[in-house]
Amino acid sequence: MPNCISNICLATLVICCFSLLLTQSLFAQANEADRLSLLAMNSWNNSINLCQWTGVTCGHRHQRVIGLDLRHQSIRGFLSPFVGYLSFLRSINLVNNSLRAEIPHEVGNLFKLQNLTLTNNYFSGKIPTNLSRCSNLVKFEASNNKLEGEIPAEISNLLKFQILNIAKNHLKGQLPASIGNLSTLQEINVNGNRLSGRIPSTRSHVRNLISFNVGLNQFSGMFPPINNISSLEYIFIHKNRYHGSLPLDIGVNLPNLRFFIISGNNLTGSLQDSLSNTTNLHKLDINRNVKNQFLF
Ligand SMILES: *[C@@H]1O[C@H](CO)[C@@H](O)[C@H](O)[C@H]1NC(C)=O
Ligand SMILES: *[C@@H]1O[C@H](CO)[C@@H](O)[C@H](O)[C@H]1NC(C)=O
Ligand SMILES: *[C@@H]1O[C@H](CO)[C@@H](O)[C@H](O)[C@H]1NC(C)=O
Ligand SMILES: *[C@@H]1O[C@H](CO)[C@@H](O)[C@H](O)[C@H]1NC(C)=O
Ligand SMILES: *[C@@H]1O[C@H](CO)[C@@H](O)[C@H](O)[C@H]1NC(C)=O
Ligand SMILES: *[C@@H]1O[C@H](CO)[C@@H](O)[C@H](O)[C@H]1NC(C)=O
Ligand SMILES: *[C@@H]1O[C@H](CO)[C@@H](O)[C@H](O)[C@H]1NC(C)=O
Ligand SMILES: *[C@@H]1O[C@H](CO)[C@@H](O)[C@H](O)[C@H]1NC(C)=O
């Protein structure tokens, strides 16, 4: 029936689909109470236009959902794979809810998605490899969840990627070397996981990195090869297993350094000369390294 592929037909289908999706399926609910609380809290009901629902933003022209902002809503349940049908979504913010289970790999169908913010939930399982298909992704924040497994190396396919914050999860394995290919990267925060190994050499394209936070993991080896990324303002490598001497010229090529937190490793060295040029230095923590080895 070719007529049924008309725009109107499709539009109706899509709107019906959305309304169904968003009320019933987007957060597949554990029980009726959850569903009711979701409806109550978000005033999501079928009597008002979808685009007026709390937390839903639609595009002006096409009236398709482009944003979901449902932070601090006490939503329980899990994020439904149907989210992958909201193909105009540019931003998903679910900060501070009680969502659990895996991040559905169908998010990989959201080619317009720029920001995916899942901070403070109970998401578990692996970071979906398919996230690397969201070619417009700029920001992925999922700190303070229960994510496990390794960080997918395919993340380096994201040519616009700027912010990776997956602190406070249960991730293990190494930091993928391919991250060194992400020239747009500004912030990497993997603090408080179970990551190990060496930080891959940034013989690299990472030239815009502002914040490097790998604290509270099990990284080992010599001081990570980040001391010539001159854009760096924040370095947190505390509580790992780094040893050996700091690079002699640490700081010389880091004129913008503001925080230098390296406590709780086995590092030695001298900071006196090289840090004299870091005029913005605001906080320095070198405690709990090899005793009395730091010379000023
Ligand atoms: C639907 O939501 C609107 C706006 O919050 C509210 O005024 C109305 O009473 C709701 N209708 C039902 C049937 O719950
Ligand atoms: C999380 O949301 C709850 C309400 O659901 C609010 O009381 C609490 O302050 C929020 N926590 C944060 C860290 O924003
Ligand atoms: C994504 O987040 C950034 C802030 O980090 C914001 O400036 C930008 O407008 C957001 N994009 C969308 C589509 O919401
Ligand atoms: C990823 O996307 C592809 C293509 O849509 C799909 O076939 C696959 O099942 C998805 N999921 C995983 C886990 O790869
Ligand atoms: C970085 O990108 C180049 C070119 O696309 C590729 O040949 C290389 O294997 C990548 N490096 C890593 C570590 O993924
Ligand atoms: C950092 O230094 C290495 C050699 O030590 C060099 O290959 C690399 O290109 C430098 N990176 C930047 C961003 O300058
Ligand atoms: C520092 O080195 C000592 C001796 O090799 C070792 O016992 C200790 O675990 C190391 N500490 C850290 C934080 O790596
Ligand atoms: C500090 O900067 C000045 C000028 O930018 C340079 O001549 C000097 O060598 C630098 N000091 C160190 C310790 O690198």
Side-chain angles (χ1 to χ4, degrees):
M1 280 174 45
N3 276 350
C4 204
I5 318 286
S6 73
N7 281 342
I8 291 173
C9 214
L10 214 59
T12 311
L13 187 71
V14 160
I15 288 165
C16 283
C17 212
F18 274 178
S19 129
L20 205 71
L21 270 181
L22 288 170
T23 48
Q24 273 141 39
S25 311
L26 186 53
F27 304 103
Q29 296 302 309
N31 55 42
E32 183 69 1
D34 283 350
R35 193 179 71 83
L36 292 176
S37 81
L38 180 59
L39 283 172
M41 297 210 54
N42 292 301
S43 54
W44 279 12
N45 63 37
N46 288 320
S47 67
I48 50 173
N49 182 306
L50 160 74
C51 295
Q52 289 163 14
W53 289 356
T54 306
V56 175
T57 307
C58 291
H60 287 305
R61 253 182 317 122
H62 45 60
Q63 295 291 299
R64 300 287 301 264
V65 177
I66 60 168
L68 278 182
D69 184 350
L70 296 167
R71 32 187 152 165
H72 317 306
Q73 300 290 325
S74 305
I75 303 170
R76 288 179 283 160
F78 54 93
L79 184 58
S80 162
F82 285 115
V83 74
Y85 289 120
L86 299 173
S87 52
F88 282 66
L89 266 181
R90 288 186 219 151
S91 159
I92 299 178
N93 187 336
L94 300 172
V95 168
N96 188 22
N97 284 290
S98 299
L99 293 164
R100 58 176 194 280
E102 299 198 355
I103 302 169
H105 62 74
E106 284 80 358
V107 294
N109 295 330
L110 302 175
F111 297 122
K112 292 180 193 271
L113 192 65
Q114 294 171 23
N115 295 346
L116 177 57
T117 309
L118 307 175
T119 311
N120 289 350
N121 278 284
Y122 303 102
F123 284 108
S124 58
K126 294 185 172 180
I127 297 172
T129 303
N130 274 7
L131 197 57
S132 66
R133 300 171 68 231
C134 303
S135 49
N136 281 294
L137 199 67
V138 171
K139 185 164 84 167
F140 175 51
E141 294 177 307
S143 63
N144 207 13
N145 278 284
K146 296 171 181 299
L147 296 172
E148 57 197 26
E150 302 193 2
I151 301 170
E154 290 81 355
I155 212 164
S156 65
N157 297 346
L158 298 169
L159 299 179
K160 298 181 180 174
F161 202 48
Q162 293 177 7
I163 296 175
L164 175 66
N165 185 342
I166 43 177
K168 293 193 198 165
N169 279 287
H170 307 314
L171 298 162
K172 61 182 172 57
Q174 306 203 3
L175 209 57
S178 60
I179 281 184
N181 266 355
L182 281 171
S183 59
T184 47
L185 202 61
Q186 292 179 4
E187 176 184 331
I188 173 162
N189 187 345
V190 295
N191 189 298
N193 280 286
R194 297 166 190 164
L195 297 165
S196 59
R198 284 155 207 246
I199 306 287
S201 165
T202 51
R203 214 162 276 270
S204 73
H205 307 94
V206 182
R207 293 226 159 80
N208 298 300
L209 197 64
I210 294 168
S211 182
F212 180 80
N213 188 338
V214 302
L216 286 158
N217 278 288
Q218 293 152 23
F219 288 113
S220 57
M222 309 284 278
F223 187 82
I226 55 171
N227 52 304
N228 62 356
I229 305 176
S230 60
S231 51
L232 271 172
E233 295 178 27
Y234 303 91
I235 294 179
F236 299 87
I237 65 161
H238 56 287
K239 294 203 175 164
N240 279 286
R241 294 175 186 161
Y242 287 115
H243 70 270
S245 188
L246 289 177
L248 281 178
D249 60 351
I250 182 82
V252 171
N253 297 315
L254 299 173
N256 301 307
L257 197 60
R258 291 168 54 76
F259 280 65
F260 189 61
I261 312 297
I262 63 169
S263 54
N265 286 288
N266 269 339
L267 292 163
T268 64
S270 163
L271 295 168
Q272 185 179 14
D273 295 333
S274 65
L275 283 189
S276 60
N277 269 8
T278 55
T279 49
N280 292 326
L281 198 61
H282 182 74
K283 190 157 191 242
L284 173 69
D285 187 353
I286 56 173
N287 281 318
R288 284 165 284 122
N289 275 290
V290 177
K291 261 206 179 88
N292 300 327
Q293 289 293 310
F294 277 103
L295 308 170
F296 278 91

